[in-house]
Amino acid sequence: MKFLQGEAPEISYQKARTAILPVPYERTTSFEGGTARGPQAAIAVSPYLETYDEELDVEIWKAGIFTLPALNFGEDVQKDFDLITRSVLKLIEDQKFVVAIGGEHSISYPLFRAFHQKFPDISVLQLDAHADLRESYQGTPFSHASVMKRIFDLNQNLVQLGIRALSIEEREFIKQKNIKTVFAHQMYENWPDDILTHLSETVYLTIDVDFFDPALMPGTGTPEPGGFFWPETLKFLKTLFKTKNVVGMDVVELRPLAETRHSEYTVARLIYKLIGYKFFLNR
Ligand SMILES: [Mn+2]
């Protein structure tokens, strides 16, 4: 199925400026499983979105959105990660704005590897409840709980927002490496608008949906109370897209629930809105 299927005209891959890449990868989920069903769930509810955006006064689909087939995974982490990186390299070469939907957070590492190869001066903005900076977790360095450490090993220009669950070792690491981490409790006092100045011009954005409050986003693997809501988050992301060149992004850790579909709907809405910010804001 395609994003906005039946609600927006079909467009060819060649003409599209945005490529949605479903990455239903799940191997190391620690608390509650089900993130492999995330991409399909978000795409399945997307036809219920209003295609017109009143804030941007445009039908965002006009940016040209093409949905790729979901990637297929096997048993081997390295092969699976190579497949992700290769797929994204091709999309970057074809000059697409890449929006990957997860899947567990581990996928951000092979996704980012491709951007790191193509954009040497890239920086990373992470919205997340968890620092994800463990060297390894449950015996693997490729866990969702280690993903930002893998990314940091490649690229030290990292800004973290919304963090409210981490180990003392991760806290020490943040201090030692002077990582720009803004904790949730700090954001309750002051939303850190000036944090964007620490990013380079070219930005990779990774959004773990547990950044949001579980009231807004109950469908996630490891929910943490004290998260953030729609208005302040969107206001911040609008400034991001206005001031920086966001070349790719992922939205990860969506875990569809049986009882309610508002988590996947919110993810679909977020993706649509951010594509709008990418193409319809004057930078
Ligand atoms: Mn995470």
Side-chain angles (χ1 to χ4, degrees):
M1 193 177 165
K2 306 250 175 186
F3 197 80
L4 293 181
Q5 187 158 310
E7 298 302 311
E10 289 238 10
I11 185 175
S12 69
Y13 174 78
Q14 283 71 25
K15 283 191 178 149
R17 287 195 284 171
T18 296
I20 292 188
L21 179 65
V23 188
Y25 178 91
E26 179 169 38
R27 194 187 300 266
T28 69
T29 309
S30 47
F31 186 48
E32 299 261 37
T35 59
R37 291 181 284 111
Q40 180 52 34
I43 291 167
V45 296
S46 65
Y48 298 102
L49 295 171
E50 202 65 72
T51 55
Y52 170 72
D53 187 280
E54 74 293 346
E55 181 186 13
L56 299 165
D57 192 22
V58 71
E59 292 191 291
I60 293 170
W61 59 260
K62 289 183 174 162
I65 303 172
F66 185 86
T67 310
L68 290 139
L71 296 178
N72 273 315
F73 299 110
E75 293 298 315
D76 185 283
V77 181
Q78 300 303 341
K79 280 186 188 154
D80 289 346
F81 278 14
D82 286 347
L83 171 68
I84 295 172
T85 304
R86 260 199 331 272
S87 308
V88 176
L89 281 171
K90 170 86 170 74
L91 298 174
I92 301 170
E93 280 158 17
D94 292 343
Q95 303 194 334
K96 307 301 180 194
F97 174 57
V98 180
V99 179
I101 313 178
E104 62 173 57
H105 205 167
S106 338
I107 63 168
S108 299
Y109 169 58
L111 289 166
F112 177 71
R113 267 197 316 208
F115 288 96
H116 183 250
Q117 267 186 47
K118 294 286 178 185
F119 303 96
D121 72 326
I122 199 165
S123 54
V124 182
L125 174 62
Q126 172 197 5
L127 272 52
D128 203 328
H130 310 89
D132 290 344
L133 284 168
R134 288 176 153 89
E135 183 55 40
S136 71
Y137 190 64
Q138 296 180 337
T140 170
F142 302 114
S143 164
H144 63 102
S146 305
V147 60
M148 298 316 295
K149 177 61 168 62
R150 295 288 79 73
I151 288 176
F152 184 83
D153 289 343
L154 276 183
N155 187 310
Q156 278 75 57
N157 192 341
L158 167 64
V159 171
Q160 304 186 299
L161 237 66
I163 310 303
R164 53 195 188 278
L166 74 168
S167 68
I168 191 164
E169 290 80 13
E170 288 174 292
R171 181 69 183 102
E172 284 307 317
F173 185 76
I174 288 166
K175 283 183 189 163
Q176 190 192 359
K177 300 292 181 184
N178 197 21
I179 298 175
K180 301 291 176 240
T181 301
V182 190
F183 294 105
H185 69 88
Q186 298 170 318
M187 292 163 66
Y188 305 153
E189 304 293 323
N190 261 318
W191 191 275
D193 290 311
D194 54 341
I195 200 74
L196 293 174
T197 57
H198 293 289
L199 294 166
S200 56
E201 159 69 10
T202 309
V203 174
Y204 183 79
L205 171 64
T206 175
I207 302 177
D208 185 325
V209 299
D210 62 31
F211 170 83
F212 292 107
D213 193 83
L216 172 62
M217 187 63 66
T220 189
T222 42
E224 281 291 336
F228 299 91
F229 287 91
W230 191 254
E232 68 262 27
T233 305
L234 270 284
K235 189 175 168 225
F236 174 77
L237 290 173
K238 189 176 184 181
T239 310
L240 168 74
F241 277 85
K242 231 179 185 159
T243 54
K244 302 288 175 181
N245 179 23
V246 181
V247 289
M249 57 175 277
D250 63 57
V251 181
V252 295
E253 295 286 336
L254 167 64
R255 172 181 166 264
L257 302 175
E259 305 295 317
T260 150
R261 293 205 286 171
H262 82 260
S263 301
E264 45 267 47
Y265 183 83
T266 302
V267 166
R269 186 83 155 92
L270 178 68
I271 288 169
Y272 196 53
K273 189 65 134 173
L274 296 186
I275 294 170
Y277 286 169
K278 168 73 184 174
F279 291 104
F280 298 105
L281 289 176
N282 290 323
R283 288 193 63 227

